[in-house]
Amino acid sequence: MKMSSLKFTAGRALLVILLIVVFPAASLADARPGKAAIASQHFLATEAGHEVIEQGGNAFDAAIAVAAVLAVVEPTSSGLGGGGFWLLHRAEDGFETMVDSRETAPAAAHRDMYLDENGEFNRDLAVNGPLAGGIPGTVAGMEHIAKNYGRLPLSVSLQPAIRIAREGFALDEKFVTLLKWRFDVIKRWPAASEAYLVDGEMPDVGHVVRLPD
């Protein structure tokens, strides 16, 4: 197996888990409408994968579309602000590779960055706010896969996610439950509150969230 590594870090990642299967009648790189089975954590992401295939994309383009939509509708588990790993198999010639798009630590990161003035570990700094984030690798992974293995420009495969972010999506029970778990943290940040809360309060299941930015 050939390894194509963009980045590597021991830091935290938000991982996208998805499965795209093309039946034996079609090669993995030659997915056609009616020949692809796509499974993801959210029906909108699954629909996005099929949409891209119908536009002439292959399974790799569909994987990008699925990952991008999950970043919109399931930010608790997926996101453009994190990273991931992509294990690829091309049926037509048996080519296999793994793309590592894990996020990396910022250049200015240091071992004491999560300590308070007394030298004690401050967990809040490590899990909330700007210091908790790494340099994202997800988009770099998408770009690499689109350029080297896909059929469509990245801009096309991202269209379903862009449309859903602009037009909005209804919150399901899982989203609301996890949002409630992070409610106090979300309220700290005006942009996050504006995006996900309703006048500073928890939204109900079915509330439509729009993320035009």
Side-chain angles (χ1 to χ4, degrees), residues 2 66 69 102 148 150 178:
K2 177 183 176 183
V66 170
V69 171
R102 186 78 179 261
N148 292 280
L178 293 175

Side-chain angles (χ1 to χ4, degrees), residues 98-135:
M98 194 276 278
V99 176
D100 180 352
S101 61
R102 186 78 179 261
E103 77 279 16
T104 59
H110 56 89
R111 68 177 186 176
D112 297 332
M113 62 189 294
Y114 298 133
L115 303 183
D116 61 21
E117 60 274 10
N118 298 318
E120 299 294 327
F121 173 62
N122 185 331
R123 185 177 184 278
D124 186 61
L125 291 176
V127 299
N128 300 313
L131 291 182
I135 304 302

Side-chain angles (χ1 to χ4, degrees), residues 87-110:
L87 184 61
L88 310 182
H89 169 75
R90 190 166 58 204
E92 63 185 11
D93 60 1
F95 174 81
E96 296 177 327
T97 190
M98 194 276 278
V99 176
D100 180 352
S101 61
R102 186 78 179 261
E103 77 279 16
T104 59
H110 56 89

Side-chain angles (χ1 to χ4, degrees), residues 31-208:
R32 298 187 299 274
K35 296 295 184 180
I38 302 175
S40 78
Q41 287 286 81
H42 198 285
F43 74 95
L44 289 175
T46 300
E47 290 177 357
H50 285 291
E51 178 181 332
V52 166
I53 287 177
E54 290 171 358
Q55 292 177 343
N58 60 21
F60 308 124
D61 299 309
I64 293 170
V66 170
V69 171
L70 287 177
V72 177
V73 302
E74 197 188 51
T76 54
S77 301
S78 309
L80 298 183
F85 304 98
W86 308 71
L87 184 61
L88 310 182
H89 169 75
R90 190 166 58 204
E92 63 185 11
D93 60 1
F95 174 81
E96 296 177 327
T97 190
M98 194 276 278
V99 176
D100 180 352
S101 61
R102 186 78 179 261
E103 77 279 16
T104 59
H110 56 89
R111 68 177 186 176
D112 297 332
M113 62 189 294
Y114 298 133
L115 303 183
D116 61 21
E117 60 274 10
N118 298 318
E120 299 294 327
F121 173 62
N122 185 331
R123 185 177 184 278
D124 186 61
L125 291 176
V127 299
N128 300 313
L131 291 182
I135 304 302
T138 295
V139 177
M142 291 178 175
E143 193 276 337
H144 179 81
I145 291 169
K147 180 179 179 180
N148 292 280
Y149 309 110
R151 286 180 175 169
L152 302 176
L154 181 61
S155 58
V156 173
S157 297
L158 294 180
Q159 284 306 309
I162 293 170
R163 182 182 66 248
I164 291 168
R166 286 176 173 165
E167 297 178 359
F169 62 96
L171 299 186
D172 57 20
E173 186 174 353
K174 174 186 175 183
F175 195 115
V176 172
T177 297
L178 293 175
L179 188 63
K180 186 179 298 184
W181 179 55
R182 298 284 286 169
F183 177 70
D184 291 338
V185 176
I186 293 291
K187 288 191 69 171
R188 294 191 207 171
W189 313 101
S193 296
E194 183 178 356
Y196 295 112
L197 304 183
V198 179
D199 297 326
E201 300 299 329
M202 277 293 303
D204 295 324
V205 173
H207 172 70
V208 176

